[in-house]
Structure formats: C-alpha cells, structure tokens
Amino acid sequence: MNISGIISAIIIGGIIGALGRLALPGRQPIGVLMTIVVGIVAAIIGTAIAQSVGVATTKGIDWIELVFQIGLAVLGVAVVASLQARRRQRRMPR
C-alpha cells in the first residue's frame, strides 16, 4: 500500500466513522481519532463481508457495501462509547 492508499483509507474511514456516529442517537464520549479508527476498521470489514456475500464491485458507488460499512461503524461506535463510559464511571469516586 502506498501513501495515497493510506491517506484515502484515513479519509474514507473518517467519513464512515462520522456517518456511523451520526446514525447513532445521543452523545458518544469518543474522540475524533477513535471515530476514524472505528471507521477504517468498519470499512475494511464491511468490504470483506460485502464481497463474501456476493455484492458485485461496480465503477460507481457500491451502495450495499456502504450500508454494511456504516452499519458496522454504528456498531463499532456504540461498543467503543459503551467501553469509554464504563471506564469513566470506574474512575469517578463514589
């Protein structure tokens, strides 16, 4: 993978992560960097799932693949936000 591939993965990951975060109701206590990481992971796994179920690659936007990616980003943001909230709750003295 060259530098342009890495930069495009970061940009697409940020977009996918932001869309996943927007689709999840309420406020999520995670940062921008973690949102990008979740988006990159969701994009990679979503593409693999789409290819494994037979979604054809097209020249335009692969909408079904995008739905998989955003759905996984929503799930990823929810899991990370839950872990962050639990971690913060343990730090607070009672």
Side-chain angles (χ1 to χ4, degrees):
M1 181 178 272
N2 56 17
I3 192 71
S4 64
I6 293 170
I7 291 172
S8 65
I10 291 170
I11 292 169
I12 300 223
I15 293 169
I16 295 293
L19 289 172
R21 201 167 170 175
L22 285 172
L24 193 63
R27 184 162 188 218
Q28 296 82 33
I30 66 173
V32 174
L33 185 60
M34 187 56 70
T35 301
I36 292 172
V37 169
V38 168
I40 291 170
V41 171
I44 292 168
I45 295 172
T47 299
I49 291 172
Q51 289 176 352
S52 70
V53 297
V55 175
T57 303
T58 62
K59 291 183 181 183
I61 297 173
D62 293 328
W63 293 104
I64 298 171
E65 181 178 335
L66 188 62
V67 168
F68 280 122
Q69 292 171 337
I70 294 172
L72 288 169
V74 169
L75 182 65
V77 167
V79 168
V80 171
S82 171
L83 293 173
Q84 290 286 340
R86 197 175 289 171
R87 179 200 252 173
R88 286 184 184 175
Q89 202 172 38
R90 274 193 271 163
R91 287 185 184 173
M92 296 176 62
R94 295 181 188 202

